[in-house]
Amino acid sequence: MSEFHQAFWTIAVAAVCSVPCALLGCFLLLKRMSMLGDAIGHGVLPGIAVAFLLTGQITSVYILLGAMVFGLITAALAETLAATGVVTEDSSLGVVFTTLFALGVLLLSGLLRNVDLDINCVFMGLLVLVPNNTIDVLGFEIPQAFPTMLLALALTLVFLAVFWKELKIVAFDPALAQSMGFSPRLVNYLLIAIIAGTTVSAFEAVGLILVLAVLIVPAATAHLLTDRLGPMLAWAAFFAVSGSVLGYLLHNVGRYSLDVSGLIAVMLGVQFAVVLLLAPRHGLIAKWWRHLQLSVRIAQEDILARLYRAEESGERTYALPLSEHGVSPWLVWFAHRQLVRLGLLTGGPDGLPTLTESGRRLAQYVVRSHRLWESYAGAVLEIPPDHVHSAAALVEHYIGPELQDEIAQSLDQPPTDPHGKSIPPR
Amino acid sequence: MNSLQTPTAIAESATKHATKVPILDVHDVTVAYQRKPVLWHVDLTLTEPTLLGIIGPNGAGKSTLIKAILGLVPLVSGSVHMFGQPVSQERRRVGYVPQRESVDWDFPVSVLDVVLMGTYGHLGWFRRPGAAEKAWARQCLDMVGLGELESRQIGQLSGGQQQRTFLARALAQQADIYLMDEPFAGVDAATERAIFALLVKLREQGKTVLVVHHDLRTVASYFDRVALLNVRLVAAGPTRQAFTEDNLRKTYGGRLAVLDTLSQAVEAQERTR
Amino acid sequence: MDFLPYNTRVVLLGVTLLGACAGVIGCFAVLRRRALVGDALSHSTLPGVAAAFLLAGGKHFSLMLLGAFVSGLLAIGALALLRRWTRIKEDAGIAIVLSTFFGAGVVLASVIQQSQESGQSGWDAFIFGKSAGIVWDDVQLIAILVAVTLVIVALCYKEFLLITFDPEFAKVQGWPARQLDFALMLLLLVAVVVGLPAVGVLLMAAMLIIPAAAARLWTQRLAAMLFLSAGIGVLAGVVGTFLSDRASVPLGPSIIFVAAFLFAFSLLLAPRRGLIARWIARRRDREALLAHGGELPP
């Protein structure tokens, strides 16, 4: 097989293995059962060992069956144990899957004594062997693993299509599912069975341990970008594929050939970190940016309101008015600059900041909110006048026009606030 | 171990304090719970030892108020002072009875173990509770009527017994202010009366007790003062003055639309943080 | 113990220390519902161990332990970051950190495999646990770490008890809740790290969870649970060592297997909380109810 073909098929196999896992993992993530994915990934090992013992092959239908059986056993045992009431849920999971895993290692190490198969391969995946075992399909050389993987992917898609409605409801509202007449438990077990099956196909690519990576990380990354199930599945599949591609492309470093499955897991994690930073709504940078914008807006409004009050009382401010909340001088300076740029403030004849027409209107709006709130707090909430000001200073920035009208109406359009200052008109 | 002063001496010193510095000063406190404002402008001052009932509908912010006073949730604005100091500096003088749901009752500790936790504050780092602490803990258990159950694992208690264990723990703290969050949930009427007798005795000893209470029928007979809460303080004062039909209507008559809209507006913006 | 070869004695000491440490710290983890965080931590130590191995150009025990510790610290930091700054839930966070760190470890492992000619001496041990990997010098270091850990637990017993049972009340009393919590996490990490040579990265979580869960079945007092858990851990270690020796199977899985057996034993036979005891009690209640002319619930 040419080098290009090798690369292509390795990536193809990795992608086809990881996509079904990523899709199913979305449900695990939403149901807060992420570690169940880890448990199943570990718990299937005895099944694989037994099947291997019986058939002598590392990929076969019996391996798949053995895995599914033990996947179900893992989940069932953990649930039964937790149901006794004397072991907590997470401990039950921990006890069951570590024991099964140890059993699996014992069986395999016993078996593999006579077999030339590095035990690490079972855990780290067999991607490196993929290009070597090929079969002939329509004149093309295709890795033996590929058709099986494709079948697994197809089955997963069929499963999702058939049970879409049920899965969606069970993921978001199990109580509703019960009242609608289908058993969340049955759907759960079906889900687990399918996960156990796809786990084994993923084991081909990324090894047993890294199955968790493919199950959860693309799903978590997708969850940062959307709240809806459909798009989340699409994104998860995308990240699974891109992770596989990146992992493979980067695996030749200098004279080392890095383990592809490990690299895929790392790339999935890197993708997650990048999206965490950059996601438009939930990303950290976006959050920080919005917070900054909010702080600037608040500082701007504070400056305008301060100047308005100064105008009212006829004093001239000789220094850049600082916000009452003790914000950083840089922020104040920046807010001031923006105000000038927006035409809300000017330098004034004697170099002191003055409100422009539009600036005054905005200031008026803010001060109106402030004093309306003080009146409201005084009248409806019955808060003493000397306590009202600090909260009003906070709240004034969040009162939109409708809310302002609502408050004014409920107070019958008061002319003055509790301190006697007149409330500016709209 | 501090020995208790005589009740008269404590009451005297408490009265002395009362004229100087308020026991509890909640000043214009606004609290946001997970970024959404849930309590607005709560203002409460207590100048003498009292039994205060905090009442209001579900979701009114009663537990939040307790937690805000204790510093367990951050304040958006305002301040809380006890005896003139910020709460963080007066921790020795504060006792707390949380809601029953706040712990895992399957935890392998006995009733006595839990009550002993009340003495930890006085012990300081590394020291283990000794015979004196155990004797005091047993006394506290007797005060709430759980004396015979001291070796039982807490999961084997009834709901009312669990609540009383928390109460005994708070007593063991030997505090000057007690904050109790629904201490009578699940307690039968007879036990409830007995516990209230205990709280009255505390007040006589010069302590101040704030209780989140759920049963309107017993408010008038139990508490000197009430605070009616519905996202904001509707009224607070001596029971006879504040516990009126008018105020009750305002408290239980539904939420203020303006506050809800404002809460949502703040939450929408604050979600950026 | 003269009938035992020297190597076995060293291994026995190593697993005894591991069993005691993991047993004690595991109790706090299990009671705090942090059982699976231990799993995440143990998987996350792999890149650190591999990096140390590469830097040292071979097996260097204390450096590898240090690498494991640093790696674990980064994982703890990542978990805290995810919890504080994102809406990612706790279980997902554990899964993400676990798999990413472990993946990095596997990548570094492949580098090791290609840079060493003959059987990466001492490397395999950290993944599955091998008795051949434990020598006297190593055990001395483990002994010091375990001793320090147990002393800290003994000193801060009531503080740890309080923070595990009722963190809110701890805060009210003025205890530094966040720092105490972090201290427990650090001790958990130490427990993980000292167990790696014997049990390996993949199975270490079992040593934190199984003895503690088993001990919980026997007693209603925390102090007793700590001792019992340590005892079960030590017993599993010792018997597992002999088993591994006789049956020529890897050390890690043997120990876990024995621990699981002890757990099953406890689950069945513990008085009061054990399954058989509960079944008997239920039978007795039914008979008493029937004898008094009562009716059975549907």
Side-chain angles (χ1 to χ4, degrees), chain A residues 85 287-288 290-291 294 297 373 376-377 380-384 387 390-392 394-395 398-399 403 406-407, chain B residues 27-28 30 40-41 43 76-77 106 232-234 250 256-259 261-262 265-266 269-273:
Chain A
K287 280 189 194 175
W288 174 80
R290 282 197 303 266
H291 176 54
L294 181 65
R297 178 170 76 81
W373 183 258
Y376 184 83
V380 177
L381 307 180
E382 291 169 42
I383 296 182
H387 283 171
S390 64
L394 191 70
V395 158
Y398 297 97
I399 299 182
L403 188 56
E406 210 180 306
I407 298 177
Chain B
H27 181 94
D28 195 20
T30 299
W40 294 92
H41 304 294
D43 225 59
V76 168
S77 75
D106 200 40
R232 85 282 181 198
L233 200 59
V234 171
K250 272 196 244 177
L256 286 173
V258 163
L259 285 183
T261 318
L262 191 53
V266 175
Q269 289 278 4
E270 291 292 322
R271 218 183 270 139
T272 67
R273 292 201 182 201

Side-chain angles (χ1 to χ4, degrees), chain C residues 47-122:
Chain C
V49 174
F53 192 90
L54 283 171
L55 282 175
K59 183 191 165 189
H60 186 295
F61 190 76
S62 40
L63 203 62
M64 284 162 90
L65 279 199
L66 182 63
F69 191 77
V70 168
S71 200
L73 266 182
L74 289 174
I76 293 179
L79 282 173
L81 217 124
L82 284 177
R83 196 179 15 220
R84 185 129 187 261
W85 295 112
T86 77
R87 61 178 192 154
I88 300 286
K89 304 292 184 301
E90 175 116 25
D91 64 321
I94 294 175
I96 295 171
V97 170
L98 196 164
S99 49
T100 310
F101 273 72
F102 190 74
V106 168
V107 167
L108 289 175
S110 60
V111 172
I112 290 179
Q113 276 174 345
Q114 286 163 42
S115 51
Q116 300 283 85
E117 323 77 24
S118 58
Q120 316 84 41
S121 37

Side-chain angles (χ1 to χ4, degrees), chain A residues 4 8 23 49 94 121 131 135 149 162 194 209 231 240 259 262-263 270 275 321 323 326 362 398:
Chain A
F4 171 75
F8 176 77
L23 294 176
C121 278
I135 55 176
M149 303 309 149
V162 167
I194 299 259
I209 309 303
D259 183 69
L263 210 45
V270 167
V275 170
S323 162
L362 183 53
Y398 297 97

Side-chain angles (χ1 to χ4, degrees), chain A residues 74-252:
Chain A
T74 309
L77 268 182
E79 203 180 304
T80 317
L81 195 53
T84 61
V86 290
V87 188
T88 59
E89 260 176 41
D90 58 337
S91 298
S92 306
L93 205 59
V95 169
V96 168
F97 85 74
T98 51
T99 307
L100 286 176
F101 188 70
L103 178 64
V105 174
L106 276 178
L107 285 175
L108 277 180
S109 62
L111 294 172
L112 294 180
R113 240 175 308 181
N114 308 325
V115 174
D116 184 28
L117 183 69
D118 184 5
I119 199 171
N120 283 328
C121 278
V122 174
F123 304 107
M124 318 294 185
L126 301 167
L127 260 186
V128 64
L129 296 179
V130 155
N132 299 342
N133 308 331
T134 59
I135 55 176
D136 202 356
V137 172
L138 300 175
F140 291 104
E141 225 188 326
I142 296 182
Q144 191 179 30
F146 192 75
T148 340
M149 303 309 149
L150 208 53
L151 183 65
L153 174 58
L155 278 175
T156 306
L157 290 174
V158 165
F159 170 74
L160 286 177
V162 167
F163 289 97
W164 176 255
K165 213 177 22 143
E166 287 81 359
L167 282 171
K168 192 168 175 178
I169 297 181
V170 168
F172 290 111
D173 196 346
L176 178 63
Q178 199 121 40
S179 71
M180 283 179 78
F182 52 86
S183 153
R185 282 193 83 210
L186 181 61
V187 177
N188 266 357
Y189 274 106
L190 273 175
L191 188 63
I192 289 171
I194 299 259
I195 288 178
T198 47
T199 293
V200 169
S201 83
F203 138 69
E204 188 86 26
V206 297
L208 222 44
I209 309 303
L210 294 172
V211 160
L212 183 64
V214 213
L215 273 175
I216 301 297
V217 184
T221 315
H223 198 40
L224 289 173
L225 291 172
T226 173
D227 288 318
R228 288 170 28 235
L229 188 59
M232 185 170 159
L233 291 181
W235 276 115
F238 170 75
F239 286 123
V241 172
S242 63
S244 309
V245 170
L246 283 172
Y248 185 81
L249 289 180
L250 294 176
H251 86 282
N252 272 319

